[in-house]
Amino acid sequence: MLSIEGNDELRAVAFGMKFIERDVKNAVNRATRAELKPIWRAELDVSLAGTNTFTSRILKGARVSPGNPPTVYAATSRRGIGKDKRLNPAEHYYLGEFGARDSLYRTYTRQSENGGSHTVKRRTNTGLPHAIRKGRVVYPAAAQAAPRLASLWVQTFVRTVYEAADAK
């Protein structure tokens, strides 16, 4: 999504993070997490606003991981959802983000009541959202938030390094 190749400011921050002292780097990371997380959550909430309940439940657990560069996550929860708790957002996020083709049939063999067996052909994806390649929530939210998050990361780095230099 974002690359430091075409942007001198991002390249400078990425190299600067390698050379600053550990305590200043920790301060940058703390400030990055504190400032980027509300923006990322707000952007995800805007994208989730018009979706169905399944999508909003499976894409919960948004967070920002500071680093070089910082990483944004959605659907990090491992707590199961649904009646039988078999779906967990960290593993099955793609069902809410990209959907599934409901025209797929699954064929399996089962035992009948009289002891014989027979083949059953069923559509098992009928309750899921329709398939969308470009994503319906996280990808559009990331496209909207990425320029703002990158700019804020650069500003946070410069401000924190400046404050650390002033303190010495």
Side-chain angles (χ1 to χ4, degrees), residues 11 14-15 17 19 26 31 33 36 48 56 61 68-69 74 76-77 86 91 110 113-115 143 155 159:
R11 184 182 297 136
F15 288 133
M17 286 290 284
F19 297 115
N26 289 343
R33 182 184 295 121
L36 269 55
L48 278 170
S56 62
N68 191 12
T76 58
S77 174
R86 287 191 303 175
E91 290 179 24
R110 71 174 184 187
E113 293 177 6
N114 61 5
Q155 293 171 21
R159 185 185 67 241

Side-chain angles (χ1 to χ4, degrees), residues 89-156:
E91 290 179 24
H92 302 100
Y93 66 90
Y94 60 90
L95 295 173
E97 177 68 9
F98 302 108
R101 291 184 8 217
D102 62 354
S103 61
L104 292 178
Y105 285 91
R106 309 271 186 221
T107 305
Y108 58 92
T109 306
R110 71 174 184 187
Q111 296 293 322
S112 62
E113 293 177 6
N114 61 5
S117 64
H118 60 279
T119 303
V120 179
K121 186 176 181 181
R122 287 209 172 129
R123 288 187 194 167
T124 55
N125 292 342
T126 54
L128 298 174
H130 293 290
I132 295 177
R133 278 187 186 206
K134 295 182 180 180
R136 54 175 43 87
V137 176
V138 179
Y139 279 47
Q144 287 291 321
R148 186 172 173 202
L149 295 175
S151 173
L152 193 57
W153 182 49
V154 171
Q155 293 171 21
T156 302

